[in-house]
Amino acid sequence: MSEEMSGACWYVVHTYSGYENKVKANIEKTIENRNLQDQILEVSVPLEEVLEKTKSGAMKQVQRKIFPGYVLIHMIMNDDTWYVVRNTRGVTGFVGPGSKPVPLTEEEMIALATFMGTPQEKVNFAEGDLISVITGAWQGTEAVIRSVDAEKQTATIFIDMFGHETPVELNFTDIKKVQ
């Protein structure tokens, strides 16, 4: 079922600082108890991998919340789901003007997915597309996409270098389709 048909959107919920994981767990437990799996589809606390210096001066990889104090929820907004989320311990409210929750736009979701480095369902590029490079060393180059990696959000093109075709991998953010 597509998102348009189901009516599910991503909403942002504000939580007490440090309660993000508790809120996620509590909402997931409520979904199970009230059988709301078809209405609240996913609860997410976006994380990123960062290098942090320990007290001893060594570097170690840790997961850090990208948006402290916020939880993302993929849900169908109705009185029941609003009530469940709004009355979850640790939730201070939905993000939106007044008391009206506002779903994230598709552009915001694509930017968020790119920022988080997560796969995006909607890939705007495909093998065989003619693209133009808009940033970096190959700016202004036009080429045909040879392969696409939706998970990494990259496309591979071939550039003629010294009489040889050389593969170059580019981020989706560095290219645009040529009409």
Side-chain angles (χ1 to χ4, degrees):
M1 186 186 289
S2 77
E3 286 194 25
E4 291 77 36
M5 283 173 56
S6 71
C9 292
W10 282 94
Y11 293 89
V12 181
V13 174
H14 194 262
T15 69
Y16 292 122
S17 190
Y19 273 72
E20 303 87 354
N21 292 333
K22 286 186 189 97
V23 165
K24 179 182 188 314
N26 288 342
I27 292 173
E28 287 172 344
K29 190 175 281 176
T30 305
I31 292 168
E32 208 173 296
N33 293 343
R34 296 196 183 183
N35 218 8
L36 293 170
Q37 293 87 342
D38 58 338
Q39 294 177 57
I40 302 177
L41 310 174
E42 188 179 344
V43 183
S44 174
V45 177
L47 301 170
E48 64 182 339
E49 298 276 333
V50 291
L51 284 174
E52 247 177 37
K53 204 175 255 189
T54 62
K55 286 182 180 136
S56 65
M59 296 299 277
K60 74 170 191 173
Q61 193 136 9
V62 296
Q63 286 197 324
R64 187 171 65 196
K65 293 179 188 85
I66 297 174
F67 308 111
Y70 294 95
V71 173
L72 302 178
I73 304 179
H74 192 200
M75 62 187 270
I76 296 169
M77 183 59 70
N78 59 38
D79 290 346
D80 292 341
T81 57
W82 181 90
Y83 183 85
V84 162
V85 173
R86 189 62 192 84
N87 290 290
T88 298
R89 192 177 132 96
V91 170
T92 59
F94 281 94
V95 172
S99 60
K100 184 171 170 24
V102 176
L104 291 173
T105 64
E106 187 174 348
E107 289 73 27
E108 288 167 330
M109 285 309 300
I110 290 169
L112 188 62
T114 303
F115 175 71
M116 289 168 48
T118 56
Q120 194 43 35
E121 287 172 31
K122 187 169 183 173
V123 175
N124 295 323
F125 300 100
E127 240 174 84
D129 283 352
L130 179 62
I131 56 99
S132 176
V133 183
I134 53 175
T135 61
W138 304 107
Q139 187 170 353
T141 303
E142 284 192 359
V144 173
I145 293 178
R146 296 289 181 92
S147 67
V148 170
D149 185 332
E151 202 164 306
K152 284 171 56 186
Q153 295 278 291
T154 61
T156 302
I157 61 172
F158 281 82
I159 306 273
D160 185 20
M161 287 172 46
F162 314 113
H164 296 286
E165 283 210 322
T166 306
V168 175
E169 191 177 79
L170 299 163
N171 287 319
F172 285 176
T173 54
D174 297 332
I175 61 178
K176 69 172 186 178
K177 277 190 199 175
V178 176
Q179 265 39 358

